[in-house]
Amino acid sequence: MSSVSTLSGTAEQERKVPVIKLGTFLLMLPLLLWLFLLIILPHVDLLMVSLREKLGYREYAFSFQNYIEFFTEPLYWNTFVRTAVMSIIATVITLVVGFPISYYIAKVLKGKKRSLLFMMCLIPFWVSELVRTFGWMILLRESGVISSFLQWAGVVDGPVEMLYNDASLMVGLVYTSMLFMVVPLVSVLDTLDDSLIEAGYDLGGNTFNILREIVIPHAMPGIASGCIVVFMLTLGNYLTPTLLGGKDGLWFTEQIYNQFITRFNWESGSAFGFLLLILSSAIVFVGLKLSRQTLADTVK
Amino acid sequence: MSTQLDLECRQVVKSFGKFTAVDNVSLEIPQGSFFSILGPSGCGKTTLLRMLAGFIEPTTGDIRIKDKSMLGVPPNKRPANMVFQHLALFPMMNVAENIAYGLKRRKIGQAEIDRKVADVLERVSLPDAGEKRIEQLSGGQRQRIAIARSLVLEPALLLLDEPLGALDLKLREHMKVELKQLQHEVGTTFVYITHDQSEALVMSDNVAVMNEGRFEQVGTPQDLYYNPSTAFVAGFVGDANRWEGRIESLEGGQAMVALEEGGVIATSFAPGTSFSAGETVDLFVRPEAIVIERSKAAQEKARLSGGKNTLSGVVQNLLFDGANSRALVRDQATGHEVMVSLPQTGAFSDLKSGEALVLSWDVEKTRAFKATKAASQGIAA
């Protein structure tokens, strides 16, 4: 019986070879369409728009003017560097805060408690980012919860404004990114065999050098992929810097928005968009080189 | 005290809630010996070993290594190192770094570390493996590196948690011999836990048989095999035919036991045990203790000779396994199946299913124990 079905199976398979290929293609189609229509096509257009200069009504010429403008205007420059540095700091803080949480979830807790804590990390993300950010504003503003509490407790005399500075911006960015750090870290720490940690202790190691020589090297792919995702999200974040950073919280995405929407300067906006893409790719590349990881490792 | 004790356990108890995993275990291991703890899975042997390593603290009792109490001493401060069941080699380091891990924690100079690593690699006959990655090594080589990683620290005790379990049969047989030789050369005290009785018997100077958290018997492998002191040991160590029956009459050191299936078997008692008529007992006979005959004359002779149990039966099944071949013989009188070893001379190499045989064995080769549940567990395990 089984041999008969195997035989007919192989015969069918041979006949179906082109059909399977078409099936694979159809399955891939949404992904291919998404990549082409939403990623490649807009970026090609962006590049072309960024490399032209408006001479008059519907009159354009090829030019590097938009890029030159970026490098000659200090405000653009400073915002660009500031965004990169702040994003790196936010990524590092997210990693430092997220690693112990992930370790606790993956290695210390078992069963129900573990799922509960994991869910607690996840649940804030059921709410939209806008509402979450407003949550922080309710806490931190002059007439907000923390300010009122401090006045009630007698610690301060008048209302305190905690919003619209770099610290509140950083809090918002780290909070927004936490889940994207915790998820890859938990999954990579899950694969670390407990007996490796025990062996480390057994051979005379202490908590610090077990962490440094066994846990972190093992978790490196997860750390790298978590950092890449968090860095990209932070760099490209628009909502949090606008709402929590206030007028001084210059973020490069705001500059891009201004060029496109406020100034109707699509050429300059495209150039800025392209520069942001180059910047993020360059920093991720350097980060991977420094941590001796490959991009392929991080998606394993 | 003439010989120094490397390890001493005094009435060690470990309970998890209501469950007692290790129940009042005491043991003494002299310096330089190979000690095995043998027991079925779930008997508490891993818990005991983890207490020796320091990963679990005993509920009550004391563990002393080199005459120093280890209570409250964390695993990284104990002069005992462990070879883990799945070896736990660090995949992020190469072989030399794995071995050097423990040495580096002791703040030894790099030149000294290099020398020690080279020495120990030489000792486990893998002198050129230092630069290799862990995943480049074969199962047996990983085994040796895991042992080398612990031995390089010159511990008082080397604890081994069934490290041969994952190897295939041929390699396991080979590693048994190698491990015993290595222990002999380095002279470190080995504490080895296993559920495989052959590993324990082949390698050890002394074996403790453990069941349900307690030591059933501690002795040399020969002792355990030939003079088991409990039904569990008789059933667990080596193969045995087992019958249940009731004592009909007692005479001197011997008794006649009526089996549940019918038939009567004469048995002797282990020294220091006492029975009374009417008691239910478990009888154990090793397959190799039974002599088989098939010629008419031999059958007559066997029947006539005194001091022996005899049965006549028919071969049900032949279990050919080279020198370790057996036959399953059904007793004609009772229908009970008896496992017998075929002589290694090859005299019965032409034996076939359905042939009639006469089985006989000395009364002294039959062991009787008070009937317990443990005995049947031993067989099942």
Side-chain angles (χ1 to χ4, degrees):
Chain A
M1 180 67 200
S2 67
S3 66
V4 172
S5 66
T6 319
L7 275 176
S8 65
T10 41
E12 243 167 68
Q13 248 173 3
E14 270 169 343
R15 256 185 287 128
K16 268 188 181 170
V17 166
V19 182
I20 287 168
K21 272 187 177 164
L22 181 64
T24 319
F25 176 74
L26 284 173
L27 283 170
M28 294 277 290
L29 200 59
L31 178 69
L32 293 173
L33 281 176
W34 181 66
L35 275 175
F36 183 73
L37 291 177
L38 292 170
I39 311 287
I40 297 172
L41 206 60
H43 274 89
V44 170
D45 191 51
L46 213 61
L47 182 66
M48 276 156 38
V49 172
S50 78
L51 287 172
R52 69 186 191 191
E53 197 188 353
K54 197 171 183 177
L55 299 173
Y57 180 68
R58 291 211 170 160
E59 231 180 302
Y60 298 103
F62 178 85
S63 143
F64 284 107
Q65 182 52 40
N66 299 310
Y67 291 92
I68 293 165
E69 194 191 324
F70 169 81
F71 285 106
T72 48
E73 171 58 55
L75 176 70
Y76 297 152
W77 239 123
N78 289 339
T79 313
F80 192 69
V81 173
R82 179 186 137 83
T83 307
V85 171
M86 290 284 278
S87 297
I88 291 171
I89 295 173
T91 307
V92 171
I93 294 176
T94 312
L95 176 64
V96 170
V97 176
F99 195 86
I101 298 173
S102 314
Y103 190 85
Y104 196 69
I105 293 175
K107 285 286 149 215
V108 181
L109 292 181
K110 301 267 179 283
K112 255 193 185 146
K113 282 184 189 163
R114 182 195 147 106
S115 329
L116 189 74
L117 197 67
F118 210 16
M119 279 304 282
M120 280 167 62
C121 288
L122 190 71
I123 282 171
F125 288 81
W126 292 1
V127 178
S128 95
E129 194 187 353
L130 188 69
V131 176
R132 261 182 287 138
T133 312
F134 274 126
W136 278 108
M137 293 178 78
I138 289 168
L139 284 177
L140 296 174
R141 71 182 173 195
E142 218 172 343
S143 55
V145 176
I146 295 176
S147 175
S148 307
F149 176 79
L150 290 176
Q151 288 176 73
W152 173 81
V155 181
V156 290
D157 297 329
V160 199
E161 176 63 273
M162 276 170 278
L163 225 45
Y164 313 128
N165 56 41
D166 283 355
S168 64
L169 171 59
M170 200 52 90
V171 166
L173 289 175
V174 169
Y175 179 74
T176 309
S177 319
M178 192 51 75
L179 183 74
F180 302 98
M181 186 62 87
V182 168
V183 169
L185 283 181
V186 166
S187 67
V188 76
L189 286 172
D190 251 347
T191 62
L192 176 65
D193 189 354
D194 286 345
S195 68
L196 290 184
I197 299 170
E198 284 184 347
Y201 279 115
D202 188 69
L203 294 167
N206 58 31
T207 309
F208 173 71
N209 62 47
I210 287 172
L211 190 68
R212 204 189 61 191
E213 298 204 15
I214 298 167
V215 179
I216 290 178
H218 178 87
M220 215 51 213
I223 292 173
S225 72
C227 285
I228 291 175
V229 172
V230 168
F231 177 75
M232 294 289 197
L233 284 175
T234 309
L235 199 68
N237 200 330
Y238 176 74
L239 196 67
T240 311
T242 312
L243 291 180
L244 295 178
K247 282 194 184 118
D248 300 329
L250 293 168
W251 209 253
F252 201 63
T253 47
E254 288 171 19
Q255 301 286 351
I256 299 175
Y257 177 89
N258 285 340
Q259 296 299 336
F260 275 109
I261 307 295
T262 317
R263 296 181 55 194
F264 282 111
N265 190 345
W266 279 54
E267 290 73 29
S268 170
S270 303
F272 285 12
F274 237 83
L275 285 165
L276 192 66
L277 178 70
I278 293 165
L279 174 74
S280 59
S281 309
I283 292 178
V284 166
F285 177 79
V286 170
L288 285 171
K289 280 286 161 235
L290 284 179
S291 63
R292 298 211 189 94
Q293 296 292 306
T294 63
L295 206 54
D297 280 340
T298 63
V299 291
K300 250 199 290 204
Chain B
M1 212 183 294
S2 57
T3 52
Q4 205 202 339
L5 292 182
D6 262 351
L7 174 69
E8 194 184 354
C9 291
R10 292 179 186 164
Q11 279 123 43
V12 171
V13 176
K14 178 69 202 180
S15 23
F16 299 100
K18 279 183 185 160
F19 174 69
T20 307
V22 174
D23 188 3
N24 205 10
V25 164
S26 296
L27 65 90
E28 290 182 352
I29 303 177
Q31 198 168 22
S33 61
F34 197 126
F35 189 90
S36 291
I37 300 168
L38 171 66
S41 49
C43 74
K45 56 189 191 302
T46 303
T47 310
L48 181 59
L49 197 77
R50 291 175 65 81
M51 281 196 279
L52 299 182
F55 295 120
I56 310 177
E57 280 290 306
T59 312
T60 60
D62 193 8
I63 293 168
R64 305 177 76 84
I65 298 176
K66 294 263 187 213
D67 219 27
K68 273 197 218 98
S69 176
M70 286 294 132
L71 294 184
V73 179
N76 50 1
K77 301 272 192 307
R78 293 194 184 197
N81 290 115
M82 185 148 158
V83 176
F84 288 79
Q85 188 163 17
H86 301 294
L87 307 179
L89 292 168
F90 305 131
M92 59 291 283
M93 306 176 195
N94 69 20
V95 168
E97 286 166 342
N98 259 282
I99 296 173
Y101 181 86
L103 294 172
K104 275 187 191 152
R105 305 285 86 80
R106 292 187 176 175
K107 313 232 172 345
I108 300 173
Q110 189 60 46
E112 177 84 356
I113 290 177
D114 290 344
R115 195 183 56 73
K116 285 194 173 197
V117 169
D119 270 3
V120 81
L121 280 174
E122 192 80 46
R123 175 154 269 161
V124 296
S125 357
L126 289 168
D128 304 319
E131 292 304 312
K132 285 193 181 157
R133 312 281 320 163
I134 297 303
E135 61 267 22
Q136 287 175 294
L137 302 176
S138 70
Q141 288 171 332
R142 283 178 203 201
Q143 198 84 49
R144 288 189 228 163
I145 297 304
I147 293 166
R149 187 176 70 173
S150 293
L151 276 184
V152 77
L153 299 173
E154 290 161 9
L157 277 184
L158 186 68
L159 309 169
L160 300 105
D161 182 5
E162 307 199 37
L164 303 187
L167 302 181
D168 60 58
L169 184 70
K170 263 267 164 20
L171 191 57
R172 194 157 68 223
E173 293 299 317
H174 178 74
M175 286 305 293
K176 271 188 218 168
V177 181
E178 204 171 282
L179 211 52
K180 189 179 166 77
Q181 271 172 351
L182 187 71
Q183 192 271 335
H184 189 71
E185 282 167 28
V186 297
T188 308
T189 304
F190 279 34
V191 179
Y192 188 96
I193 69 168
T194 180
H195 63 267
D196 183 323
Q197 42 124 345
S198 145
E199 285 175 19
L201 296 181
V202 168
M203 293 190 283
S204 319
D205 298 316
N206 278 293
V207 181
V209 180
M210 198 169 179
N211 184 36
E212 294 180 336
R214 243 167 284 179
F215 277 1
E216 292 267 337
Q217 187 177 359
V218 184
T220 62
Q222 290 83 349
D223 239 8
L224 296 178
Y225 194 84
Y226 293 113
N227 303 306
S229 63
T230 67
F232 179 83
V233 177
F236 192 72
V237 179
D239 292 319
N241 291 295
R242 174 171 161 270
W243 291 284
E244 285 167 33
R246 207 166 47 78
I247 297 179
E248 285 206 318
S249 64
L250 287 150
E251 193 187 321
Q254 294 190 353
M256 301 304 285
V257 177
L259 303 183
E260 279 175 358
E261 297 92 343
V264 175
I265 286 178
T267 179
S268 64
F269 296 131
T273 54
S274 65
F275 291 93
S276 50
E279 249 183 303
T280 48
V281 289
D282 287 319
L283 299 180
F284 291 90
V285 181
R286 299 237 179 258
E288 71 272 18
I290 300 172
V291 179
I292 54 177
E293 308 274 4
R294 62 178 161 191
S295 72
K296 274 271 180 271
Q299 285 183 17
E300 286 306 311
K301 198 178 102 213
R303 199 160 292 155
L304 292 173
S305 59
K308 286 192 176 189
N309 286 300
T310 52
L311 292 175
S312 48
V314 175
V315 177
Q316 288 283 311
N317 256 314
L318 277 172
L319 311 169
F320 181 76
D321 185 16
N324 200 17
S325 301
R326 277 129 194 249
L328 206 57
V329 180
R330 186 183 285 277
D331 179 14
Q332 278 174 332
T334 63
H336 200 103
E337 283 186 339
V338 184
M339 183 82 80
V340 296
S341 291
L342 299 183
Q344 293 178 14
T345 54
F348 286 85
S349 55
D350 57 344
L351 195 66
K352 286 188 184 62
S353 290
E355 265 189 79
L357 285 178
V358 173
L359 318 179
S360 64
W361 67 94
D362 293 338
V363 176
E364 293 79 42
K365 297 273 171 69
T366 322
R367 294 260 157 208
F369 297 96
K370 287 193 168 68
T372 55
K373 277 207 323 249
S376 50
Q377 281 170 357
I379 297 272

